[in-house]
Amino acid sequence: MTGVWAEVVGQEAATAPLRAAAAHASAMTHAWLITGPPGSGRSQAARAFAAALQCARGGCGECRECTTALSGAHADVTVVATEKVTISIDEVRGLISVAQTSPSQGRWRVIIIEDADRMTERTSNVLLKSIEEPPPRTVWLLCAPSAEDVAVTIRSRCRIAHLRVPDPEVVARLLTERDGIDPELALECAHAAQSHIGIARRLARDPGARKRRDQVLALATEIRGVGDAVLAAADLVKVSEEDAAAATAERDAEERNELLRTLGADDGGRLPPALRAQVKQLEDDQKRRATRHKRDVLDRAIVDLMSFYRDVAIVQTGADVPLVNASHRGHIEQVARRGDMSDTVRVLDALALARERLAGNVAPLLAIEAMLIALRPRVRD
Ligand SMILES: [Zn+2]
């Protein structure tokens, strides 16, 4: 595909209704739900659609309307990309008032909510009315992993475009053509990321990220007993904390200075009590963001281990399917030989349970310890 759709790779069928709506007014709908697994390009598809709606040539990818809509800088395209656990009811009220205004320059007023699954039922109900009867030039684009992640009242009023997991070959081609990555490395990273475009790109560009992933996969062969598991769990949690700290520290300080400037207070001086509450609110948000980042790093490690044991299962069943971790074939075969399918299933269950526990706010160290203990080779009697 060309123009603004060029980077929405492997989604020709899913994006056909969006492209048709941008081309013909009769195919237009005012509320869309774009679903697809993480990394399939939901937010990219939403931005491409917004650009196609604003562009006089239907999404050429070159004009100012296109480039600003794609980058999130278009005055009539509002993008909500929250890093918080939930989208607050006040944020949604703010969006609804934006939705009521006519586009200032573009042809449409477009509002993109990237993580519509992070709205509580109550918040969704506030949004409902605006989605049902939006002003004539307003379009809502909600994104979520699946339709079931969004309140039924909302999704029943949206047209759904369902993105699928793109083939690794398609992701690799994008990395090569857009980011100039060597084709062989691009394909290896696309497989390792299980076609998650953002993760594939990070792996391809950052040797440190590839090394950290290799270290996680090595746990499958390195853990021999409970002692190893406990030590490795402490390591993994520490790495996730450092990663979260590095990713958020600079931004936290910038945001704080910006807020103090807006409030008219210079850094260092005492804040009047009325302003302290706002600073406290920002700090709470930042703390939540760091926690989420830490959990995301751990979740990624679990997903990587799952892909390793999926490969083990493939070797054990002799299925003719490409391995996700082809460069680790030696270790995969070693683990496949030392156990049988029931062992592999048991480990996969333990990994799935750890993911659930992390999402359910169990202390990360406890969840990871229990999970890694399950990676020990079973003692046979
Ligand atoms: Zn254009």
Side-chain angles (χ1 to χ4, degrees):
M1 285 190 289
T2 56
V4 291
W5 300 102
E7 290 185 15
V8 189
V9 292
Q11 309 292 356
E12 283 76 4
T15 57
L18 299 173
R19 285 177 285 134
H24 310 285
S26 61
M28 191 54 186
T29 307
H30 289 274
W32 296 80
L33 176 57
I34 301 174
T35 65
S40 57
R42 296 186 305 246
S43 91
Q44 189 73 37
R47 286 164 194 245
F49 185 38
L53 288 173
Q54 305 293 14
C55 174
R57 288 183 284 168
C60 64
E62 280 151 24
C63 70
R64 225 184 130 261
E65 304 284 334
C66 281
T67 51
T68 53
L70 287 175
S71 72
H74 195 290
D76 293 331
V77 180
T78 304
V79 182
V80 184
T82 188
E83 289 178 87
K84 290 185 236 155
V85 179
T86 56
I87 298 174
S88 75
I89 208 157
D90 287 340
E91 277 174 278
V92 169
R93 290 210 178 97
L95 293 175
I96 292 171
S97 56
V98 172
Q100 293 305 320
T101 59
S102 321
S104 62
Q105 37 178 282
R107 308 191 304 154
W108 296 90
R109 162 81 53 203
V110 183
I111 300 178
I112 301 173
I113 303 184
E114 288 196 346
D115 302 283
D117 51 313
R118 295 201 185 137
M119 285 187 293
T120 62
E121 186 93 34
R122 190 162 144 254
T123 308
S124 299
N125 286 335
V126 171
L127 183 60
L128 194 58
K129 181 111 184 79
S130 185
I131 282 196
E132 259 175 339
E133 294 162 26
R137 309 304 294 171
T138 292
V139 187
W140 288 92
L141 303 181
L142 312 183
C143 305
S146 75
E148 290 69 32
D149 291 316
V150 177
V152 63
T153 43
I154 296 280
R155 69 171 186 258
S156 63
R157 284 157 179 89
C158 294
R159 258 175 86 189
I160 298 177
H162 182 64
L163 308 185
R164 58 189 201 91
V165 177
D167 292 330
E169 289 73 19
V170 175
V171 173
R173 205 180 318 130
L174 176 72
L175 296 184
T176 299
E177 285 171 7
R178 187 186 55 191
D179 304 318
I181 308 287
D182 165 73
E184 200 178 320
L185 177 64
L187 187 59
E188 185 189 326
C189 294
H191 272 291
Q194 296 176 74
S195 291
H196 187 301
I197 297 168
I199 290 173
R201 185 191 306 140
R202 201 174 69 228
L203 285 175
R205 290 166 116 183
D206 177 4
R210 291 203 293 279
K211 187 163 160 250
R212 281 196 295 280
R213 186 175 185 279
D214 287 344
Q215 285 165 344
V216 166
L217 296 189
L219 294 173
T221 43
E222 280 170 1
I223 291 178
R224 314 296 304 177
V226 174
D228 298 340
V230 170
L231 287 178
D235 266 356
L236 199 54
V237 171
K238 188 159 150 272
V239 167
S240 74
E241 277 162 0
E242 287 167 356
D243 200 323
T248 50
E250 196 178 331
R251 233 170 108 198
D252 286 359
E254 262 171 37
E255 284 172 355
R256 191 187 154 85
N257 290 338
E258 178 62 35
L259 177 65
L260 291 175
R261 247 198 316 279
T262 324
L263 296 176
D266 53 22
D267 209 357
R270 282 179 62 81
L271 280 173
L275 303 186
R276 248 179 261 157
Q278 292 194 46
V279 175
K280 173 85 173 46
Q281 175 68 49
L282 174 70
E283 286 169 354
D284 287 349
D285 286 348
Q286 291 178 338
K287 232 178 266 167
R288 271 195 293 271
R289 182 167 71 196
T291 302
R292 209 187 121 203
H293 188 99
K294 192 172 109 184
R295 282 175 198 277
D296 285 349
V297 171
L298 291 174
D299 189 63
R300 194 63 222 166
I302 300 176
V303 170
D304 286 337
L305 277 169
M306 283 175 144
S307 74
F308 183 95
Y309 283 93
R310 168 201 171 273
D311 287 346
V312 169
I314 286 171
V315 170
Q316 284 172 332
T317 54
D320 183 22
V321 181
L323 298 184
V324 169
N325 304 288
S327 58
H328 294 261
R329 182 175 274 281
H331 283 150
I332 290 165
E333 285 173 348
Q334 184 190 330
V335 174
R337 270 196 310 272
R338 81 177 183 202
D340 57 24
M341 191 53 135
S342 70
D343 294 313
T344 309
V345 170
R346 186 178 50 83
V347 172
L348 282 167
D349 284 347
L351 294 172
L353 179 63
R355 276 193 98 184
E356 245 172 65
R357 285 177 169 165
L358 272 184
N361 281 329
V362 169
L365 187 58
L366 288 181
I368 298 293
E369 262 180 22
M371 172 186 96
L372 292 183
I373 287 172
L375 302 193
R376 283 174 305 162
R378 195 175 58 171
V379 182
R380 292 176 187 279
D381 38 32

